[in-house]
Amino acid sequence: MSIIVQKFGGTSVASDESRERVLDKIIKEKDAGNKVVITVSAMGRKGSPYATDTLISLGTDLKPREMDLLMSCGELISASVVVNGLMRRGYNACVLTGAQAGILTNETYNDANILRVNPQRIVNALSDDIIPVIAGFQGMSEFGNITTLGRGGSDTTAAILAEAISADETHIYTDVDGIMTADPRVCREATVIDAISYSEVFQMADSGAKVIHPRAVEVARRSGIPLYIKNTFSNAEGTAIIHCPKPGSIVLEGNECKLITSIAHLNDRVQFIIEEGPSDDAFIFPLLADKGVSIDIINIFPSRKVFTVDKKQVWIVSEVLEQNKITYETIEDCSKVTIIGERMTGVPGVMARIITSLQKEKIPLLQTADSLTTIACLIHSKDLERAVSVLHRTFDLA
């Protein structure tokens, strides 16, 4: 017997038909003799009556505390409807809010951090053969206020509850067959990845791939509990997120281990170029940090500084530079393409293959940055699809 945490996203609970599939997935695990703990997102996406973005539009003038109360309603509705479906099919189930499930957070409304979890009510429900269905995305502060965990918070709920009850597996259900080698909307050759490491998924999410919230991956890596990304609407095996797959595992192709696991991208990047500034103008970066500006890629040379930021923060950067009489240029409409792979650490020639591939396609390379497991390239957004596709072929990801 295993304890399995199942999380179902907004599209999975959006309609009567999809919710029946959710019930099928839950009951399949339950009938196999496993104990199941369920967490759910709000129904559908913006425009659906109970979706989080729809609820937000109803309270545009609310303070953060009251907004969290409003936003927490969507998951409660989903949980109640799922419990109703389970009861209708003859299974005993109960609804728990995030607070009732024991999730205690700080009081940072709209983006709270979880401080600790007391899962006793979940444990009691499992002991009584009751399926607990928990409203994701929410918790309660030490002062008794309802808080929400930020975008993707239901993923975090699932991972943190799995850790708290020492679950054997966490299954994240969505509307795709698993994590893919690239965004299929950008690269038609993208395929589902069978297995991937926690670190690689964290890098994918941090580099723009909308697979699973980075905070959830960090919790799963800490606990060592395998995460599976699965499709509510198919019986595909999905993607296993585990510790780094070893040579001889399913990530091998022939006798050679693939260096690169996936390619992610971020749009709406803007590059700032400061030419021949004074050597002491590095003070500008602490000023930008104080203004909440997150710098994406940065390269500093004796007479030149180049960095990129999100398009939404361009006006802040421009204001700070102009106030300090620093001359600059910008290149707008950029995208960052990041190749990710734990096995490329220490392997020579990876950057050379990237540069050669892009040059053959006449795609200008504006800026680069690298770490042990990633290489990021800044390009013009108009070249994004070609760049991702050629890199996907170069590293044989299909």
Side-chain angles (χ1 to χ4, degrees), residues 200 256-262 340-345 347-348 350 353 373 395 397:
E200 288 170 327
E256 187 178 0
C257 188
K258 287 189 178 183
L259 294 176
I260 306 305
T261 303
S262 60
I340 299 157
E342 283 193 342
R343 289 163 295 280
M344 70 174 170
T345 302
V347 176
V350 179
R353 291 173 69 182
T373 59
F395 292 100
L397 296 184

Side-chain angles (χ1 to χ4, degrees), residues 166-191:
S166 299
D168 296 281
E169 296 177 359
T170 304
H171 297 176
I172 306 292
Y173 281 94
T174 180
D175 54 3
V176 295
D177 283 343
I179 297 173
M180 304 194 76
T181 51
D183 187 337
R185 295 168 297 182
V186 172
C187 178
R188 294 181 181 179
E189 299 170 348
T191 59

Side-chain angles (χ1 to χ4, degrees), residues 374-393:
T374 66
I375 297 177
C377 302
L378 191 71
I379 61 172
H380 295 291
S381 293
K382 64 182 178 62
D383 297 324
L384 176 64
E385 289 190 21
R386 287 195 301 130
V388 172
S389 294
V390 71
L391 292 174
H392 199 271
R393 291 193 299 271

Side-chain angles (χ1 to χ4, degrees), residues 330-375:
T330 61
I331 299 178
E332 299 184 350
D333 297 321
C334 296
S335 295
K336 183 178 76 169
V337 176
T338 305
I339 68 167
I340 299 157
E342 283 193 342
R343 289 163 295 280
M344 70 174 170
T345 302
V347 176
V350 179
M351 178 65 85
R353 291 173 69 182
I354 293 172
I355 294 171
T356 300
S357 299
L358 296 179
Q359 282 182 342
K360 284 183 178 178
E361 290 291 318
K362 295 183 170 52
I363 298 173
L365 191 56
L366 305 176
Q367 197 175 353
T368 64
D370 65 275
S371 68
L372 289 175
T373 59
T374 66
I375 297 177

